Amino acid sequence: MRGIKVIGIGAGDPAQVTMQAVDALNQVDVFFMLDKGEVKQELIDLRAGILSRYVRGTYRVLHGRDPERD
């Protein structure tokens, strides 16, 4: 069955990711990361670091641009 998981990363410190989040991360085949521009590049780097630290096995990361809003 295909599904979407929304996994929170907590306060943003990779050392504080919960075991429940780690378990959920390891059930995912493809991660979507939205690019919100240079100002938010730190968030993309943080998320990539969490994936490399906690996800065992292979996975894909798809990048997209966050749509502009008013």
Side-chain angles (χ1 to χ4, degrees):
M1 183 172 105
R2 292 180 184 219
I4 294 176
K5 291 186 180 290
V6 178
I7 304 168
I9 60 171
D13 183 340
Q16 295 179 346
V17 173
T18 66
M19 290 308 299
Q20 186 177 16
V22 171
D23 289 342
L25 289 168
N26 280 286
Q27 296 174 25
V28 175
D29 298 316
V30 179
F31 293 93
F32 296 90
M33 290 197 198
L34 293 179
D35 180 358
K36 297 182 178 191
E38 285 185 36
V39 175
K40 302 285 184 163
Q41 182 60 41
E42 187 176 309
L43 286 174
I44 294 290
D45 296 340
L46 173 70
R47 292 172 184 144
I50 288 171
L51 294 180
S52 67
R53 182 174 182 170
Y54 292 111
V55 179
R56 300 175 294 288
T58 59
Y59 59 88
R60 293 186 309 152
V61 177
L62 298 179
H63 295 272
R65 288 205 56 65
D66 193 30
E68 289 189 31
R69 300 178 190 145
D70 293 335

